[in-house]
Amino acid sequence: MGTLHAGIVGAGRIGRAHIAAIRSTGLADVEAVAMRDADRAGSVAKELGIPAYYGDYHDLVADPRVDVVHVCAPNVSHYEICKAAVLAGKPVLCEKPLAISAAQSGELLDLSIARNVKTAVNFVYRHYAAVKELRDIISGGGLGDIYAAHGEYLQDWLLCDSDYDWRVESSSGGPSRA
């Protein structure tokens, strides 16, 4: 198998993490990025050395140089982008959540099976160095036998009244704002 060429839909915080993860493998290149704002997509492409950019994800999905589509856009758009990629026969790696309802997720599952298109849902933090290091310590026996685990994820991004993120809006983050 040759080098895969990935297209990234959405190049915000998570999209950039996907780009870094792709590049760290040595097995894939980032071929294109798509964002709703074509000028911003162009700036991101130039900054990150990505050959192609689009203001519409449909154009990225249609690009014959793109082998696999990474969906890193706001949650409410995951379903439509994933569906377009699967219909185009392109494998999809969608950042969580796959869709905003079980019905949409079920439809995407059925469609990917019917068309024999590989798909996956990702939680990008699994690729972070600290998580990989912990995995290596555990698999190497460094913590002995593990019988139970408890974890927490602490963050301060909504600590102040002036803090804002699109995830708190149901219109962008979906009803669960996951």
Side-chain angles (χ1 to χ4, degrees):
M1 180 168 96
T3 300
L4 286 174
H5 299 280
I8 310 297
V9 181
R13 183 176 22 211
I14 296 302
R16 287 171 181 262
H18 276 244
I19 291 166
I22 290 165
R23 289 178 168 166
S24 74
T25 68
L27 302 172
D29 292 325
V30 179
E31 182 65 36
V33 63
M35 301 173 76
R36 289 177 294 208
D37 180 338
D39 291 336
R40 187 164 168 237
S43 295
V44 168
K46 182 177 180 182
E47 172 194 344
L48 300 177
I50 299 170
Y53 66 91
Y54 302 102
D56 186 325
Y57 72 85
H58 291 100
D59 296 327
L60 180 142
V61 168
D63 186 334
R65 298 168 298 179
V66 172
D67 300 316
V68 59
V69 176
H70 286 240
V71 180
C72 304
N75 300 352
V76 296
S77 62
H78 288 188
Y79 166 78
E80 64 187 44
I81 298 167
C82 290
K83 186 173 180 179
V86 170
L87 288 172
K90 297 199 177 179
V92 176
L93 179 62
C94 183
E95 189 61 30
K96 60 88 180 148
L98 176 60
I100 61 168
S101 72
Q104 286 182 347
S105 295
E107 182 183 336
L108 291 173
L109 173 64
D110 293 343
L111 187 62
S112 66
I113 290 170
R115 294 193 172 244
N116 195 30
V117 175
K118 302 295 183 198
T119 59
V121 178
N122 186 55
F123 185 48
V124 79
Y125 293 162
R126 71 190 311 179
H127 302 291
Y128 283 11
V131 174
K132 287 181 178 182
E133 178 69 18
L134 180 58
R135 181 190 61 216
D136 291 346
I137 291 169
I138 291 169
S139 65
L143 297 180
D145 293 333
I146 298 175
Y147 298 100
H150 174 80
E152 294 182 19
Y153 175 68
L154 303 174
Q155 59 189 20
D156 67 354
W157 60 276
L158 291 176
L159 180 64
C160 300
D161 290 341
S162 60
D163 289 346
Y164 176 78
D165 189 282
W166 62 264
R167 289 165 189 82
V168 301
E169 301 289 341
S170 292
S171 62
S172 298
S176 69
R177 299 185 311 278

